[in-house]
Amino acid sequence: MKLRLLMLGKTRRAEMRAILDDYVKRIGRSCPIEITEVRDGEAAFKKLDADRAATVVLLDAAGKNLDSNALSKWLGELRDRGTRELIFLCGDADGFPGSLRQRAHQEISLSPMTFSHELARVMLAEQLYRAFAILSGSPYPK
């Protein structure tokens, strides 16, 4: 299974980018992963249109709440069912246009609290790394 983090806007703060890149590197030991940053919702929709077979997960505060173990179990089930590509769609400060919401197969929430889009990206990457650590039996997710 390949992961793609499709992000509206750029991660501008160098310290956030460094943490994000570190987690992406760690995740890459468990599965292929890439980050794609696009300018706006229209550009994101074009990227999603190019890969219709991928499963799209939109991050939204109103989405389904999963704890780390539930996220890990869900990722493991997708992987075991043969899901080829999983795209996590991360919005910018303005959220998402309706066309992107319609394209998503599922919406999940990192928390009922609101975070900056840059911090939410780092949190997503950490939770994905934690999920793969749980699946592999690593001591990381204490």
Side-chain angles (χ1 to χ4, degrees), residues 14 20 39 46 49 52 57 69 85 89-90 112 121-122 134:
L20 178 63
R39 184 176 350 142
K46 286 179 184 177
D49 239 13
R52 287 256 182 223
V57 179
N69 288 323
E85 185 171 14
L89 187 56
C90 307
R121 294 168 183 193
V122 170
I134 290 169

Side-chain angles (χ1 to χ4, degrees), residues 43-57:
F45 195 78
K46 286 179 184 177
K47 290 278 187 190
L48 292 176
D49 239 13
D51 194 357
R52 287 256 182 223
T55 300
V56 179
V57 179

Side-chain angles (χ1 to χ4, degrees), residues 10-13 16 23 41-42 44 48 63 69 71 79 85 87 90-91 96-97 100 104-105 107 130 134 139:
K10 294 206 177 277
T11 305
R12 298 193 188 283
R13 294 180 59 189
M16 292 290 190
Y23 280 117
E42 186 176 318
L48 292 176
N69 288 323
L71 177 65
R79 180 195 61 199
E85 185 171 14
I87 299 173
C90 307
F96 299 99
L100 287 178
H105 296 96
E107 293 185 17
R130 183 176 296 272
I134 290 169

Side-chain angles (χ1 to χ4, degrees), residues 38-95:
V38 295
R39 184 176 350 142
D40 56 22
E42 186 176 318
F45 195 78
K46 286 179 184 177
K47 290 278 187 190
L48 292 176
D49 239 13
D51 194 357
R52 287 256 182 223
T55 300
V56 179
V57 179
L58 185 132
L59 293 181
D60 189 86
K64 182 177 181 180
N65 287 307
L66 299 174
D67 64 19
S68 298
N69 288 323
L71 177 65
S72 175
K73 181 180 177 189
W74 179 69
L75 286 173
E77 288 170 355
L78 288 175
R79 180 195 61 199
D80 295 347
R81 279 189 274 166
T83 299
R84 291 189 9 215
E85 185 171 14
L86 184 59
I87 299 173
F88 286 90
L89 187 56
C90 307
D92 59 11
D94 297 324

